[in-house]
Every structure is written in C-alpha cells, then in structure tokens.
Amino acid sequence: RKKAELAVSIQSAFNQMGIFEPHSKLPVTRGPIGSDLKAEGSHALTGEALDSVKLQLRNAAQPEIDSGVIAIHDSPSGLVISLQEAGFFESGAAGIRPSTLPLLNRIASILPEAALRVEGHTDDVPIHTDQYASNWELSSSRASTIARLLLFHANVHAKQMSIAGYAEFHPVASNATQEGRARNRRVDIVLLSNP
C-alpha cells in the first residue's frame, strides 16, 4: 500500500510539472501477469452477496458518503460505488489526489473476488488540452487510474476487470446546473451482477 501511495504522489507531482506522461505505469508490486490469479474467468455476485458488500462499504466509508465524496447505489448492472471528481481528482486531470488513497484502499479491501467494471464519466463541458483531446480521453484515463490502483489489492484480479470511458454520455443528473455537472463527473466501480 505504501508503494502505491508513494507512486501516486510522485506521479501526481511530476504530471503537474509536465515531466511524466499521464499514462506512465505504476510500479509492479505483484508477480508476473496472471501468476497470482486464483479464479479463472468472471463470476457474478448474488443479491445476498451484493447486500453484504454494500453494508460493509457503508460501515467503512460513512463519513465520505455523508459528505458526498462517494455514493453507493444499485443499478441494473450491479452495485455501483461512485467516486466523485471533487473528492478524487483535480478538475481536468486524471491523477488521483494522494489524500484519497486511504479511502480507495478501504473500498478496495472490501471488494469481493468478482467481476467488476471501472467506468469514467464527465459532464458535457468540452475539454481540449495538451493531454486530453476530448472527454472520452479524460474519462478513460480516470477509469484506468482507479483500475490500476485497485489491482494493488490481492482480491481484485485483472482477468475479472474491465474499464470503460463514457465521457458525458451516461449522466446521472442534468448538465444544466453546476450541481448536476458535478454529480456527472465521477468514476464508478460497478460490481457486476451479470458480467
């Protein structure tokens, strides 16, 4: 965990100075790819298992839920853990705030060994920077950042994970207001009930 925190801190600092590319890889902390995977393929969680995970997440992150940094809800795809941009990322950036690593580690430690998808979302305000030509790139990059950090935990397996960047096309609120746009800027960790 300390290696991950250090790597994110260094990468974040050098990204801001323009020294590292934003897609630089974090250091490998486990054996060769696939060497530590216990389960082959992906399996779905039952309703009872999802309820248990939801309760554990609420117990582990109640202050952050109350303050709106994260949200937990059910969806047709499964259990969704929404990480709000304001809590985890600087505006227009994909490097995670080092201060949120303990929270992400708490969440990751609770995740079951099951199929999950990490989804990046933005609001509908266009972005065009040297790093990101559009919201597609930003949302995908943020999802990749969270996915890489989750993989530092032994219970999260690359073979059971997918990443998606949806840009502004899957909003949860209206983009007509500042509050709605803020809710749309998020990364969702979806524990799939039907992978």
Side-chain angles (χ1 to χ4, degrees):
R1 192 179 88 230
K2 291 199 180 280
K3 285 182 184 177
E5 290 173 2
L6 178 62
V8 169
S9 296
I10 291 170
Q11 184 178 20
S12 178
F14 284 126
N15 279 349
Q16 290 173 2
M17 294 171 19
I19 294 172
F20 281 171
E21 292 293 321
H23 58 276
S24 294
K25 295 181 180 177
L26 293 175
V28 176
T29 59
R30 298 193 285 184
I33 295 173
S35 66
D36 60 343
L37 296 180
K38 298 173 189 158
E40 289 294 323
S42 297
H43 65 278
L45 295 174
T46 64
E48 188 175 304
L50 285 173
D51 288 341
S52 173
V53 171
K54 190 188 317 182
L55 180 60
Q56 290 177 57
L57 287 167
R58 288 186 195 281
N59 289 337
Q62 195 60 55
E64 292 84 359
I65 293 169
D66 292 343
S67 66
V69 172
I70 69 169
I72 301 169
H73 64 276
D74 295 309
S75 79
S77 298
L79 180 65
V80 179
I81 306 153
S82 286
L83 313 177
Q84 298 302 308
E85 176 199 57
F88 286 84
F89 301 98
E90 297 293 338
S91 179
I96 191 170
R97 295 174 193 255
S99 61
T100 59
L101 277 174
L103 172 58
L104 188 61
N105 286 329
R106 272 186 278 148
I107 292 168
S109 68
I110 294 167
L111 297 177
E113 293 188 33
L116 63 90
R117 183 174 56 238
V118 183
E119 304 174 346
H121 301 272
T122 66
D123 59 22
D124 66 349
V125 176
I127 187 171
H128 185 75
T129 66
D130 290 340
Q131 286 182 300
Y132 306 110
S134 73
N135 282 327
W136 289 107
E137 286 86 358
L138 177 60
S139 63
S140 299
S141 186
R142 284 180 171 176
S144 290
T145 297
I146 296 297
R148 282 195 322 264
L149 292 171
L150 292 178
L151 287 172
F152 279 104
H153 295 266
N155 53 313
V156 180
H157 304 295
K159 284 188 176 182
Q160 294 181 311
M161 179 187 290
S162 61
I163 298 171
Y166 290 118
E168 66 265 24
F169 298 105
H170 290 204
V172 293
S174 169
N175 279 307
T177 66
Q178 185 175 353
E179 295 79 16
R181 288 191 300 275
R183 287 187 56 209
N184 290 332
R185 296 189 301 266
R186 68 198 190 280
V187 173
D188 290 342
I189 302 168
V190 184
L191 301 177
L192 299 171
S193 57
N194 185 21

